[in-house]
Amino acid sequence: MEAAVAAVDLRKHFPRKQVGGNILVRRLRRYVKHRRTKEVQTGASPAPAADGQTKTAGTIEDSAAGDDVILAVDGVSFEVNPGEVFGFLGPNGAGKTTTIRMLATLLEPTSGHAYICGYDVTKQSREVRRRLGVVLAGDRSLYWKLSGRENLEFFATLYHVPRRQIKGRVDELLERTQLADRADELVERYSTGMRQRLSLARALLADPPVLLLDEPTLGLDPQAARNLRALVLELKQEGRAILLTTHYMEEADFLSDRIAIIDHGKIIALDTPSGLKSRLTSDRVFRLEVAGLHGNIDCLVERVPELNIVELRQDEEAETTQLTFTMMDGQTNTAALWQAVAAAGLMVLNYTVKAPTLEDVFIALTGRGLRD
Amino acid sequence: MQAQDWYVLWAIVRKEWRIFLRYPLNALLRIADPLIWLTPVYFMSLSFSVNGRAPGFEAFTGTHNFLAFILLGNIVGSYISAVLWNMGFSLKQEMEQGTLESLWLTPNSPWLHLIGRSTVSVLVTGLNTLGVWLAAYLLFGFEITSALGPALLVLIPMVIALYGFGIAYAGIVLYLRDAVTLSDIGTYTLQILSGINFPVTALPRPLMIVGLTLPMTYAIDAIRALLIGTTPLVAIEVSLAIVLISMFVFLILGRVVFERIDTRVRKMGTLSTH
């Protein structure tokens, strides 16, 4: 089966834009830096990266221009199959939206390739756009001075829906997104949830085999988010390939068949939700909040065999420590844990045991939370 | 252009027209606007005339009809503004309201959106022209000569040439993300150098040379010569040829410039920023 979406070593970097200060001084400094780099390179001849650029952590030095650049997406590769929801999970600024924009032909990759239904996003952008339905984050992508129906009729023509089918298609999508009774009101009177549903209806006008949904439930109330998720699952059942970005771990867990966790522009893990969770060393995650530890966890680590700390947070003001950890053998080690707590004279404020979440996986992989 | 492109164009025009009418006061003002500037021009022309003639003006232009001279200049000038302002400004407006990316995501050429949007503006300018003509006829006795057909033969290719120029200009707006300043500079420069409000021969020599490189100068000059009998800068056939050649050149150049800038903007990732 041919993948509906394929990204191969996709990379995007942007020049680091600086404002303020003297632009001439900045350019002069950049030039001097560039000259020095060139001199060093002439002497040492370091091996350049595949795209001719020398990388450092987080930024790269463009060898041609000498400009500092930001690596937004750094060699991302994945595939999405028909009938699959592929979740892109990561904190804000991780590179999710940049990846979606490259797939949607709104942004040209710096290097690498991406294909939608076999069409190259850079070289065959119009063929790609014919096969794509895109919902971008935010609710300003519709004409607020037109009604919901007028918006859909307008975009239906732009998506080359045959003229005789426009009315039927628009009515069907308005019904499906539960907007039929408000279809003739101006979009400016719609709630955020209604606008988001209308955006999804617009994305479906051309009956596309691939859907790119960028934070589709952002800003929605819980009920509206639930309805939208149910609709996404329906669309998956129809055999569409859906690429979804989100920083809501529950959403990614609920909707996705496979999830790529992205951080600093790189995919750091790619698996099914259960596969990702099984990477933790236990099927249970323990949370312990104590007073009197002062961040020194040695007294616990030394006494409890195979204690794997996932996260450690300290509240300096309240003088409490919050530990998230897993243990290889929960039953045996729990006894050892309580003995260690008693021996260290710690006061237990809170203790919970629960199934691991994607957030725990993310923390275990990056050392920080999704919302940090 | 394929049949599908015409449907797309028509959908854009209908959408723009609907939005235009959803701000009724603005729509009314846009249509009535020319009458507001026409009245002071008429009274100013009266105050400069001696026994109905303005000898200095007549020496420059070959006609004593100051009102008609200004009227025609401003009508043609309003098409320049309609196309230029709308190409750049509408793009900026789509950027600001957040709809530009939605349009760019559809499988159409971006310049179709530009043409569609400014077509509404040209239609409104067409309504303005009729209104001004009617008002000038009823209030000031201004009459249309029989050379209206040939004048339209000059005006229409000029408007098409402006579309080409406007498409390139919209590309610059896309890149610089500043429409107001650019539109003002572009419109004022063209208005001054192409002789909309005064004969181009009244300009200082260096500026006049620049003015004579602009195809719009010849279009305005030919239209005036045909409708009110001013002395043309060059033979009307030559002006028409210049306008026709510039129409093709600007259309090709406009598209090339816009597509290059569009690609550049997609590389920079600044399509949605403003």
Side-chain angles (χ1 to χ4, degrees):
Chain A
M1 182 170 57
E2 192 190 48
V5 181
V8 185
D9 198 23
L10 212 51
R11 220 173 276 259
K12 182 71 198 175
H13 50 73
F14 297 107
R16 189 185 293 281
K17 285 271 174 196
Q18 288 178 308
V19 292
N22 190 326
I23 191 166
L24 287 174
V25 172
R26 251 196 341 259
R27 282 187 182 247
L28 190 66
R29 275 190 192 144
R30 202 185 290 162
Y31 175 74
V32 171
K33 198 174 157 192
H34 173 53
R35 294 290 303 174
R36 279 183 188 162
T37 312
K38 237 181 155 182
E39 279 164 21
V40 170
Q41 277 177 354
T42 318
S45 306
D51 57 357
Q53 289 155 344
T54 314
K55 279 193 229 172
T56 62
T59 63
I60 62 169
E61 179 95 347
D62 188 314
S63 57
D67 290 345
D68 274 346
V69 295
I70 300 162
L71 262 173
V73 174
D74 187 9
V76 159
S77 300
F78 61 90
E79 286 185 352
V80 187
N81 297 312
E84 181 184 35
V85 177
F86 186 91
F88 238 38
L89 181 68
N92 290 330
K96 307 185 296 287
T97 300
T98 305
T99 306
I100 275 223
R101 283 174 183 276
M102 285 192 278
L103 295 174
T105 75
L106 290 173
L107 193 59
E108 277 205 10
T110 307
S111 66
H113 299 279
Y115 304 91
I116 302 288
C117 301
Y119 292 98
D120 190 309
V121 296
T122 313
K123 293 173 187 149
Q124 296 162 296
S125 59
R126 208 176 286 191
E127 289 305 319
V128 166
R129 291 200 291 267
R130 276 186 222 283
R131 287 155 182 85
L132 268 185
V134 184
V135 177
L136 294 172
D139 60 350
R140 298 287 319 184
S141 65
L142 298 153
Y143 290 97
W144 286 27
K145 277 287 170 192
L146 295 182
S147 69
R149 186 188 304 281
E150 286 168 344
N151 263 289
L152 291 187
E153 283 172 352
F154 168 63
F155 279 104
T157 310
L158 264 58
Y159 276 105
H160 305 173
V161 176
R163 291 178 81 195
R164 287 182 188 168
Q165 292 175 22
I166 288 178
K167 194 185 173 309
R169 183 79 57 88
V170 167
D171 285 343
E172 177 205 320
L173 287 169
L174 286 168
E175 279 295 337
R176 191 168 192 187
T177 50
Q178 297 162 345
L179 289 167
D181 55 334
R182 305 277 303 271
D184 296 310
E185 283 181 37
L186 292 184
V187 170
E188 66 185 5
R189 296 193 188 149
Y190 282 15
S191 66
T192 307
M194 289 167 72
R195 285 187 203 122
Q196 199 70 343
R197 273 182 279 153
L198 189 63
S199 294
L200 187 56
R202 179 184 57 196
L204 294 170
L205 278 166
D207 197 16
V210 178
L211 281 173
L212 306 180
L213 310 178
D214 190 15
E215 305 274 2
T217 57
L218 190 70
L220 300 193
D221 62 62
Q223 184 59 45
R226 252 196 305 277
N227 292 344
L228 203 78
R229 284 179 200 135
L231 193 56
V232 171
L233 288 179
E234 265 180 44
L235 296 168
K236 174 196 152 178
Q237 296 299 326
E238 291 168 5
R240 296 177 211 274
I242 301 171
L243 176 63
L244 170 105
T245 76
T246 182
H247 63 274
Y248 298 134
M249 55 179 178
E250 302 87 355
E251 183 168 277
D253 201 351
F254 176 71
L255 288 175
S256 312
D257 297 301
R258 286 188 303 144
I259 292 172
I261 295 182
I262 185 165
D263 191 35
H264 294 306
K266 284 181 195 285
I267 291 180
I268 53 173
L270 197 167
D271 208 333
T272 59
S274 55
L276 286 171
K277 284 182 253 181
S278 70
R279 291 180 181 211
L280 292 174
T281 51
S282 157
D283 60 353
R284 288 283 177 274
V285 172
F286 302 82
R287 285 211 170 84
L288 176 68
E289 189 180 359
V290 293
L293 189 62
H294 306 294
N296 183 8
I297 56 168
D298 292 348
C299 60
L300 298 179
V301 175
E302 283 163 10
R303 279 169 168 264
V304 185
E306 297 170 48
L307 179 84
N308 177 33
I309 302 287
V310 175
E311 191 186 17
L312 186 144
R313 282 175 190 263
Q314 278 195 87
D315 187 335
E316 302 280 344
E317 216 168 282
E319 295 185 343
T320 61
T321 307
Q322 209 178 63
L323 285 164
T324 305
F325 54 90
T326 58
M327 293 185 289
M328 276 304 280
D329 185 348
Q331 264 188 334
T332 315
N333 287 334
T334 308
L337 174 74
W338 292 125
Q339 283 168 5
V341 168
L346 305 175
M347 186 197 289
V348 177
L349 302 170
N350 201 358
Y351 176 67
T352 53
V353 183
K354 63 179 190 66
T357 64
L358 290 173
E359 175 108 35
D360 298 320
V361 177
F362 186 82
I363 292 167
L365 288 168
T366 65
R368 58 198 169 83
L370 271 169
R371 288 169 191 84
D372 284 351
Chain B
M1 289 226 313
Q2 296 170 350
Q4 192 59 56
D5 292 338
W6 290 105
Y7 291 134
V8 169
L9 212 52
W10 174 236
I12 296 167
V13 170
R14 271 184 64 184
K15 180 261 295 177
E16 276 308 299
W17 186 250
R18 272 181 175 150
I19 294 175
F20 177 70
L21 294 180
R22 298 230 159 119
Y23 294 95
L25 203 62
N26 179 53
L28 199 68
L29 190 70
R30 280 280 305 274
I31 290 167
D33 184 49
L35 298 177
I36 298 165
W37 59 255
L38 183 62
T39 312
V41 170
Y42 173 71
F43 289 110
M44 194 174 75
S45 72
L46 279 186
S47 67
F48 278 115
S49 305
V50 181
N51 298 326
R53 302 190 87 87
F57 176 74
E58 212 170 327
F60 262 114
T61 63
T63 178
H64 66 276
N65 198 342
F66 179 73
L67 177 70
F69 185 91
I70 295 292
L71 192 72
L72 284 174
N74 275 282
I75 285 173
V76 178
S78 64
Y79 285 95
I80 295 175
S81 302
V83 177
L84 273 194
W85 257 94
N86 260 279
M87 289 279 185
F89 206 70
S90 68
L91 205 62
K92 179 74 180 161
Q93 204 181 6
E94 299 276 8
M95 276 180 189
E96 282 178 349
Q97 68 193 16
T99 44
L100 187 73
E101 287 188 325
S102 305
L103 298 176
W104 256 234
L105 280 168
T106 64
N108 303 295
S109 243
W111 56 268
L112 270 184
H113 300 288
L114 300 173
I115 293 176
R117 281 202 63 145
S118 51
T119 299
V120 173
S121 190
V122 170
L123 287 176
V124 173
T125 307
L127 283 177
N128 279 341
T129 305
L130 290 176
V132 167
W133 226 302
L134 190 68
Y137 172 72
L138 293 174
L139 300 172
F140 316 119
F142 177 75
E143 285 193 32
I144 303 164
T145 68
S146 54
L148 187 63
L152 282 174
L153 272 181
V154 181
L155 180 70
I156 290 166
M158 188 205 78
V159 171
I160 297 171
L162 278 169
Y163 267 95
F165 188 76
I167 289 169
Y169 168 75
I172 297 166
V173 170
L174 195 66
Y175 185 74
L176 296 176
R177 287 164 281 156
D178 182 1
V180 178
T181 318
L182 276 174
S183 298
D184 280 345
I185 293 170
T187 310
Y188 291 151
T189 309
L190 278 180
Q191 279 183 344
I192 291 168
L193 296 177
S194 59
I196 285 172
N197 291 312
F198 47 81
V200 74
T201 45
L203 283 168
R205 199 170 171 77
L207 286 181
M208 189 177 75
I209 291 168
V210 180
L212 290 175
T213 62
L214 300 171
M216 285 83 192
T217 306
Y218 298 94
I220 296 166
D221 183 65
I223 290 169
R224 279 181 177 137
L226 285 163
L227 290 178
I228 54 173
T230 52
T231 311
L233 291 166
V234 291
I236 289 171
E237 293 77 12
V238 175
S239 288
L240 183 61
I242 291 170
V243 174
L244 282 171
I245 291 166
S246 67
M247 178 180 82
F248 291 110
V249 171
F250 280 143
L251 275 181
I252 295 164
L253 209 66
R255 201 171 157 173
V256 169
V257 169
F258 185 85
E259 278 174 3
R260 288 204 167 191
I261 293 179
D262 185 44
T263 307
R264 173 97 182 122
V265 167
R266 282 179 207 260
K267 278 186 182 151
M268 295 194 307
T270 54
L271 199 60
S272 59
T273 55
H274 54 83

